[in-house]
Amino acid sequence: CVLTKDNVGGNQLAASTGKDWSEFLDKVEAVRKDHPDNRCVKYLTREIFNSYTPKQQEVLYRCTKTGVENPDSGLGAYAMQPGDYETFAKFFEPLIRDYHNADKNSKHVTDWDASDVGDNGVLDVTKLGLDELSMRVRVGRNLAAYPLPGAMTKEDRLNLEKDMVKAFEKLMEDPNYGGTYYSLTPDTKYSINEAKYQELVKKHIMFKDMAADSYLASAGIAADWPYGRGAYVSGDGQFIVWVGEEDQLR
């Protein structure tokens, strides 16, 4: 039996699920009415939410909290664990397909063959009458040993940073990389002061104060700031790895 607002009163719902989510779901519907471009509330229907167990509802609430608390969100949802994409597929799949403008039959195809781009994989934009461009390539990665950022504890964040420092120290010893690690965690071997932090932010090397971002704060991703955060920078400044930002590694 699916519990809905129409067939179950607030007290009955609380007794059945352990928590009354009526106020939260009412807010979802209000945001949906006023912000139709918010994908989180677009796909978080009362029927879908109430189809999950009480424990699962707690997780889905955490996944969707930022989209409800920040109505102007374009997406507004973060998985807490990789398995959430399967557990809450009824919510996440249509949301993700909407974001990528993909229909139900679309499948992602990875193709790293760049040979047909430009001259055998090299695109000289000056031949197109354009000035030389600066380009960056960014990837995000999360380690299987830890929850996704929204569900990490302070201990998780500190341990993740310690694990990565071991890897960075190997890069520092490699003449092809060199460089150093800048930690925002207080009282570590690589900790930096506020002035150095602001200098790195101004140079676009370090990321900004996550605690000031209401979207990341609502998602739990900015929790425990600045612990477990930092950036490795290679000797030539061309290779940078952020630790503890929106993804565990960027």
Side-chain angles (χ1 to χ4, degrees):
C1 175
V2 176
L3 303 177
T4 68
K5 183 180 180 182
D6 294 327
N7 62 28
V8 181
N11 293 334
Q12 291 174 294
L13 182 61
S16 302
T17 67
K19 183 169 183 176
D20 184 353
W21 294 102
S22 297
E23 184 177 346
F24 172 69
L25 294 173
D26 286 345
K27 186 173 182 180
V28 169
E29 292 180 349
V31 174
R32 184 187 304 132
K33 179 180 179 181
D34 295 335
H35 298 270
D37 294 331
N38 182 320
R39 293 180 180 85
C40 172
V41 298
K42 178 180 180 179
Y43 295 104
L44 184 62
T45 65
R46 195 176 293 265
E47 179 181 11
I48 285 178
F49 189 88
N50 287 332
S51 70
Y52 291 105
T53 67
K55 186 175 181 180
Q56 290 172 332
Q57 288 176 342
E58 290 281 356
V59 177
L60 185 55
Y61 165 73
R62 293 180 67 185
C63 291
T64 58
K65 183 170 177 277
T66 186
V68 179
E69 292 186 350
N70 297 281
D72 60 343
S73 297
L75 197 150
Y78 291 88
M80 297 291 114
Q81 301 281 357
D84 290 346
Y85 292 110
E86 293 184 6
T87 301
F88 306 113
K90 288 182 289 186
F91 166 72
F92 273 116
E93 183 167 347
L95 179 150
I96 293 171
R97 288 188 178 279
D98 184 345
Y99 182 79
H100 291 287
N101 195 29
D103 61 35
K104 293 182 178 180
N105 298 317
S106 298
K107 291 186 178 181
H108 176 72
V109 177
T110 300
D111 183 4
W112 292 102
D113 182 8
S115 60
D116 61 347
V117 176
D119 184 9
N120 195 30
V122 178
L123 180 61
D124 185 350
V125 296
T126 61
K127 293 181 179 179
L128 301 177
L130 301 174
D131 294 332
E132 292 186 2
L133 303 174
S134 173
M135 179 181 293
R136 72 175 181 178
V137 177
R138 184 167 74 176
V139 297
R141 291 293 182 269
N142 294 285
L143 305 188
Y146 297 98
L148 293 177
M152 293 178 76
T153 63
K154 182 177 179 180
E155 183 179 11
D156 287 333
R157 299 184 199 282
L158 291 172
N159 287 335
L160 169 68
E161 183 179 38
K162 290 175 182 177
D163 287 344
M164 292 311 304
V165 164
K166 295 175 184 177
F168 296 145
E169 287 179 335
K170 293 181 179 180
L171 292 180
M172 293 178 210
E173 296 170 358
D174 186 334
N176 293 313
Y177 290 91
T180 191
Y181 180 68
Y182 300 105
S183 177
L184 304 185
T185 302
D187 304 320
T188 74
K189 178 180 178 181
Y190 297 103
S191 296
I192 58 175
N193 59 29
E194 180 65 16
K196 184 63 177 180
Y197 169 66
Q198 294 299 335
E199 175 191 329
L200 295 174
V201 170
K202 188 175 182 180
K203 292 180 178 179
H204 303 286
I205 292 174
M206 183 71 78
F207 45 96
K208 296 181 180 180
D209 182 352
M210 296 171 65
D213 187 317
S214 63
Y215 303 90
L216 299 183
S218 292
I221 295 173
D224 310 307
W225 174 268
Y227 291 88
R229 273 74 174 203
Y232 163 77
V233 184
S234 63
D236 61 6
Q238 297 300 302
F239 179 54
I240 299 171
V241 181
W242 287 353
V243 177
E245 207 248 6
E246 195 167 354
D247 288 298
Q248 290 169 1
L249 302 174
R250 273 193 174 186

